[in-house]
């Protein structure tokens, strides 16, 4: 089909369904910039077998993998009809057995996949420990550096000291938001996912040690700013690395290990704070310096992981991508299937976004409709993580508990309890994020976080002489953490690592993490001043109100992504935001009210998305290409 005809068809509202071969382009009713019908399609569906085999042959020649042609052809047939593999001719017995095993044992995968997730989890633990090193140190390092008058009422340096303590605490987040996250795109381009994670680990080994030997608050601030480079690179890359290596059916559970082990790192940080409590003048130095410990195995272990197949395909290294997939899947047929299917979807992405450099890729986050919707959704979940108020506790729990009437030691013990609750209650998300979904977890947990924060704030009205005061405040803070951990805790990094097309995944994730960490830095800098101005009750009430605002934003701007391949999400985010919002108010919200407020079990909700053809992942697939399936009653 000639180029002029393509222009004419696109002008008429059609969209090319581009497949690897140059000999065929078929027009479908799906416009990938404006998917008004909310259809999700397999690009290989309904292609005659002869044409499919010719396209695979051309693909193999183009990518210099002709020696794999018979395997690729069988893999393409499976990709075309992933649930109908029993009826595909030519599959070998061991290939059929591997596909059956994959279908019935979704949690059983090669050790290389789980080792990759373990290394990513260590990276997350580094992130969490880095965040809490300053929590206990806040009780002593300001005094040593002459900025410890912030809590002295009426002291002439009170305002300055409040801002300086906040600035030192915010250092890693400032460094991440303004430098580390934005270095992620070029570092990934030149060094790959593994190389970028190694660079980030080096920063995370050296900077805590540098902070521990600092002699002035300015030196401590510089080391924490440099730590932010490592945190930004790691936070932008590790979730992508885990997402790109994971099968779609369990991708959410594996990628959410980022937050679960970040919570574990926060818990370890609190453990370290408490363990060295009696170390005298060097206590705060040990508390800050201990964060280097988990970064060491990250430095070493990352090079034993297979590189991301999608990154290798992006660099046109298809043979290496196949070998990487082979390590991550049990059988060659699974690797060949995924290689060809991912390639087909990447061709569609290339048709949507075209070629671009770093600057234009960043601008396209806000100009290409499909990418812009992902940008809005990732921005929403990331800023909501700061709006919910979790980091006022993660950064300043020791200070909060001291204000509640605890001694310094008891404040550290109470902070330890917060870290433990935060980690333990992250586990439920491991089992629910791919069943209930990302969106449902968020919509359930935000109202709970709002009322628990409000209750914690009102608990400060209990007289200090009452021995129950500290216990009640701690109880509601722990309940807040228990609701946060399975919802807004794991979802933002998991979600943001999924939603962008491969062409914009690094810069998109950089944007998302920069959003999160920039507002974390704002929170860290301003919290001492907000606490001074609003008091404890007013501060907690303020963040309770922000939870309600975040709930509304998520309801309108965040589509569900569970159990879809990364490439199939192109169709989800091709649905216009206006249509998605209208569906939530006209269909989803009335259904929810009838079902869960009026308890009408016969309430029906018209699905937003329809699935056409044989899909690669999730429970929305079908063995009948004409069948339409629905997903999620909340859209």
């Amino acid at each position: 089909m000639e180029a002029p005809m393509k222009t004419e068809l696109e002008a008429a509202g059609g969209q090319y369904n581009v497949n690897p071969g140059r000999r065929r382009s078929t027009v479908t009713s799906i416009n990938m910039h404006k998917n008004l019908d909310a259809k999700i399609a397999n690009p290989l569906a309904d292609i005659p077998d002869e044409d499919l085999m010719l396209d695979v042959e051309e693909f193999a020649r183009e990518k210099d993998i002709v020696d794999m042609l018979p395997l690729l052809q069988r893999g393409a047939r499976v990709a075309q009809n992933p649930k109908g593999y029993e009826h595909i001719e030519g599959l070998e017995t061991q290939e059929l057995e591997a596909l059956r095993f994959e279908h019935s044992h979704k949690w059983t995968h090669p050790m290389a996949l789980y080792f990759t997730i373990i290394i990513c989890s260590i990276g997350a633990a580094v992130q969490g420990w880095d965040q809490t090193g300053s929590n206990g140190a806040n009780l002593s390092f300001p005094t040593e550096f002459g900025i410890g008058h912030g809590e002295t009422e009426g002291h002439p340096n009170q305002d300055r000291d409040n801002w300086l303590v906040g600035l030192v605490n915010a250092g890693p987040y400032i460094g991440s938001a303004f430098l580390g996250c934005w270095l992620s795109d070029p570092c990934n381009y030149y060094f790959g996912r593994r190389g970028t994670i190694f660079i980030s680990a080096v920063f995370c080994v050296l900077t805590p040690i540098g902070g521990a030997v600092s002699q002035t608050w300015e030196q401590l601030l510089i080391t924490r700013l440099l730590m932010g480079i490592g945190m930004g690179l790691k936070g932008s890359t590790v979730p992508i690395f885990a997402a790109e290596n994971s099968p779609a059916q369990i991708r959410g559970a594996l990628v959410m290990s980022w937050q679960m082990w970040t919570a574990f790192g926060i818990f370890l940080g609190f453990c370290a704070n408490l363990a060295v409590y009696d170390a005298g003048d060097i206590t705060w130095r040990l508390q800050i310096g201990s964060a280097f410990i988990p970064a060491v195995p990250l430095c070493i272990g990352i090079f034993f992981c297979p590189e991301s197949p999608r990154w290798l395909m992006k660099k046109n290294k298809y043979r290496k991508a196949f070998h990487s997939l082979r390590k991550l899947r049990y059988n060659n047929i699974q690797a060949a299937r995924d290689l060809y299917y991912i390639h087909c979807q990447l061709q569609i992405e290339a048709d949507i976004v075209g070629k671009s450099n770093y600057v234009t890729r960043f601008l396209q986050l806000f100009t290409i409709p499909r990418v812009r919707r992902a940008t809005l959704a990732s921005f929403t979940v990331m800023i909501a993580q700061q709006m919910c108020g979790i980091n006022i506790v993660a950064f300043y729990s020791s200070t909060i508990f001291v204000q509640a009437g605890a001694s310094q030691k008891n404040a550290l013990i109470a902070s330890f309890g917060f870290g433990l609750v935060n980690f333990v209650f992250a586990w439920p998300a491991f089992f629910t994020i791919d069943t209930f979904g990302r969106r449902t977890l968020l919509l359930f947990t935000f109202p709970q976080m709002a009322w628990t924060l409000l209750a914690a704030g009102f608990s400060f009205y209990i007289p200090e002489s009452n021995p129950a005061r500290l216990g009640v405040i701690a109880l509601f803070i722990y309940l807040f953490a228990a609701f946060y951990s399975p919802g807004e805790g794991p979802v933002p990094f998991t979600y943001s690592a999924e939603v962008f097309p491969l062409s914009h995944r690094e810069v998109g994730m950089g944007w998302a993490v920069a959003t999160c960490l920039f507002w974390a830095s704002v929170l860290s800098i301003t919290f001492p001043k907000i606490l001074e101005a609003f008091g404890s009750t007013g501060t907690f009430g303020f963040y309770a109100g922000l939870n309600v605002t975040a709930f509304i934003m998520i309801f309108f701007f965040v589509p569900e992504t569970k159990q879809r391949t990364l490439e199939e999400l192109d169709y989800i985010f091709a649905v216009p935001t206006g249509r998605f919002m209208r569906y939530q108010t006209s269909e989803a919200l009335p259904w929810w009210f009838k079902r869960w407020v009026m308890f009408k079990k016969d309430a029906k909700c018209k699905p937003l998305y329809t699935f056409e053809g044989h899909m690669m992942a999730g429970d929305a697939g079908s063995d009948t290409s004409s069948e339409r399936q629905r997903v999620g009653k909340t859209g």
Side-chain angles (χ1 to χ4, degrees):
M1 193 171 287
E2 301 298 326
M5 189 176 294
K6 177 177 178 179
T7 303
E8 180 182 346
L9 287 162
E10 288 188 349
Q15 173 64 36
Y16 271 77
N17 185 352
V18 180
N19 287 284
R22 291 168 294 179
R23 57 179 299 280
R24 183 193 71 257
S25 293
T26 58
V27 181
T28 74
S29 61
I30 300 176
N31 187 323
M32 290 295 291
H33 290 289
K34 199 172 186 180
N35 186 6
L36 294 174
D37 295 326
K39 293 178 180 176
I40 303 174
N42 183 333
L44 303 177
D46 302 323
I47 297 174
D49 187 71
E50 181 181 355
D51 288 350
L52 181 64
M53 294 302 99
L54 288 172
D55 277 343
V56 176
E57 185 176 345
E58 186 172 349
F59 162 68
R61 285 198 303 268
E62 180 185 338
K63 304 304 178 185
D64 193 26
I65 49 177
V66 177
D67 55 303
M68 297 165 49
L69 180 59
L71 174 63
L72 290 171
Q73 289 176 328
R74 297 196 301 275
R77 288 190 175 107
V78 177
Q80 185 183 49
N81 188 5
K83 293 184 180 294
Y85 54 83
E86 295 283 2
H87 309 295
I88 295 174
E89 295 183 1
L91 291 183
E92 299 174 0
T93 303
Q94 62 177 9
E95 292 173 342
L96 277 171
E97 290 176 353
L99 293 170
R100 290 169 187 150
F101 187 82
E102 178 186 50
H103 182 71
S104 59
H105 297 77
K106 74 173 186 176
W107 285 101
T108 306
H109 296 277
M111 182 53 66
L113 174 62
Y114 288 111
F115 183 77
T116 298
I117 300 304
I118 289 170
I119 293 301
C120 292
S121 301
I122 293 174
V126 176
Q127 200 90 344
W129 202 326
D130 285 341
Q131 290 179 17
T132 52
S134 64
N135 188 300
N138 281 329
L139 300 177
S140 51
F141 87 79
T143 303
E144 179 162 341
F145 290 151
I147 56 173
H149 309 295
E151 297 179 0
T152 305
E153 190 69 31
H155 194 282
N157 291 330
Q158 182 182 10
D159 283 346
R160 185 205 70 160
D161 289 355
N162 278 333
W163 288 114
L164 289 181
V165 171
L167 181 63
V168 170
N169 278 291
Y173 309 99
I174 296 172
S176 294
F178 290 101
L179 195 56
C181 292
W182 303 113
L183 288 174
S184 172
D185 192 11
C187 283
N188 272 276
Y189 180 84
Y190 289 108
F191 305 116
R193 309 286 190 243
R194 296 189 309 168
T196 301
I197 294 171
F198 174 76
I199 293 170
S200 74
V202 171
F203 273 92
C204 291
V205 168
L206 298 179
T207 52
I209 297 173
V213 298
S214 298
Q215 300 301 309
T216 65
W217 71 263
E218 292 92 346
Q219 292 176 6
L220 180 59
L221 174 61
I222 290 171
T223 64
R224 292 180 65 75
L225 289 170
L226 292 174
M227 179 188 289
I229 296 177
M231 289 177 63
L233 287 173
K234 178 156 44 64
S236 301
T237 305
V238 170
I240 290 176
F241 187 54
E244 291 182 341
N245 284 9
S246 301
Q249 295 93 330
I250 59 171
R251 185 182 64 244
L254 296 184
V255 179
M256 68 78 52
S257 64
W258 168 265
Q259 177 59 32
M260 186 169 67
W261 295 106
T262 297
F264 183 63
I266 290 172
F267 170 65
L268 290 179
F270 285 130
C271 289
N273 286 341
L274 191 58
V276 298
Y277 169 72
D278 289 325
D281 293 341
I282 64 170
T283 294
W284 72 267
R285 298 184 182 276
L286 296 176
Q287 290 169 335
I288 286 179
S290 62
F292 89 93
I293 296 171
V296 174
L298 178 63
C299 275
I300 299 169
I302 189 60
F303 286 105
F304 293 93
C305 300
E307 182 57 274
S308 162
R310 286 173 171 86
W311 182 83
L312 291 167
M313 293 169 72
K314 184 177 180 180
K315 305 299 285 186
N316 206 32
K317 299 177 180 179
Y318 275 75
R319 188 177 296 277
K320 289 185 177 180
F322 174 80
H323 290 308
S324 183
L325 278 168
R326 184 63 186 86
K327 294 177 182 178
L328 298 165
R329 308 291 185 262
Y330 269 125
N331 192 277
N332 285 339
I333 192 66
Q334 297 164 303
R337 174 201 63 192
D338 292 352
L339 184 79
Y340 188 70
Y341 187 78
I342 293 169
H343 174 73
C344 292
Q345 292 284 14
L346 294 182
Q347 293 297 101
I348 295 174
E349 286 186 8
D351 192 57
I352 296 171
V353 303
K355 294 183 178 180
S356 58
N357 57 35
Y358 177 74
V359 175
T360 56
R361 278 199 302 277
F362 175 76
L363 295 176
Q364 286 169 347
L365 292 178
F366 311 97
T367 57
I368 295 176
R370 179 263 180 265
V371 183
R372 183 176 65 238
R373 294 176 194 117
T375 302
L376 174 61
S378 64
F379 170 82
T380 300
V381 296
M382 283 297 197
I383 196 172
Q385 192 174 72
Q386 304 308 319
M387 292 171 69
C388 78
I390 185 65
N391 282 332
I392 66 173
V393 184
F395 298 162
Y396 291 104
S397 61
S398 299
T399 303
I400 291 170
F401 288 126
V402 165
Q403 288 221 345
S407 65
Q408 288 194 5
K409 182 176 181 179
N410 287 338
L412 289 173
I413 293 173
S415 296
F416 167 86
F418 163 78
L420 180 61
V421 170
N422 189 31
F423 173 60
V424 168
F425 281 88
W427 281 94
F430 192 83
F431 303 101
T432 58
I433 196 167
D434 285 314
T435 51
F436 295 132
R438 290 75 158 143
R439 175 180 166 84
T440 302
L441 288 176
L442 293 178
L443 293 178
F444 170 73
T445 55
F446 265 92
Q448 320 309 323
M449 290 190 289
W451 75 260
T452 50
L453 275 184
L454 200 60
F458 282 123
S459 297
F460 278 90
Y461 284 128
I462 299 174
E464 290 189 25
S465 58
N466 191 326
R469 184 175 193 258
L470 177 60
V472 173
I473 292 171
L475 171 65
F476 285 116
I477 289 177
Y478 291 172
L479 286 173
F480 165 74
F483 285 119
Y484 165 85
S485 295
E488 182 58 16
V491 169
F493 281 85
T494 302
Y495 192 88
S496 299
E498 298 173 329
V499 296
F500 293 98
L502 180 62
S503 56
H504 291 69
R505 195 160 291 152
E506 297 93 341
V507 69
M509 190 62 177
W511 151 265
V513 177
T515 297
C516 180
L517 298 184
F518 170 75
W519 289 105
S521 70
V522 171
L523 184 150
S524 183
I525 291 173
T526 58
F527 179 75
K529 200 64 182 169
I530 290 175
L531 191 61
E532 177 192 343
F534 290 0
S536 299
T537 301
T539 300
F540 278 84
F542 171 70
Y543 281 101
L546 290 183
N547 273 275
V548 176
T549 304
F551 173 87
I552 296 170
M553 292 169 62
I554 289 163
F555 183 77
F556 283 116
F557 300 141
V558 178
E560 184 56 78
T561 61
K562 69 170 182 176
Q563 296 190 353
R564 303 260 54 87
T565 70
L566 296 177
E567 289 71 36
E568 286 166 4
L569 294 180
D570 287 336
Y571 298 93
I572 297 288
F573 286 96
V575 177
T577 303
R579 170 148 193 224
F580 181 79
M581 294 173 67
R582 284 193 300 273
Y583 174 83
Q584 300 308 321
T585 53
S586 64
E587 294 286 346
L589 186 59
W591 168 82
W592 184 89
F593 183 83
K594 292 175 184 176
R595 178 65 185 87
W596 300 109
V597 178
M598 305 301 294
F599 295 104
K600 294 183 177 180
K601 295 184 179 180
D602 60 344
K604 303 294 183 183
C605 181
K606 179 182 177 183
L608 172 60
Y609 304 114
T610 57
F611 295 87
E612 294 192 338
H614 306 292
M615 303 308 296
M616 277 291 291
D619 55 7
S622 169
D623 288 338
T624 305
S625 62
S626 62
E627 181 181 0
R628 292 184 179 184
Q629 302 282 346
R630 66 179 183 174
V631 60
K633 293 192 175 180
T634 59

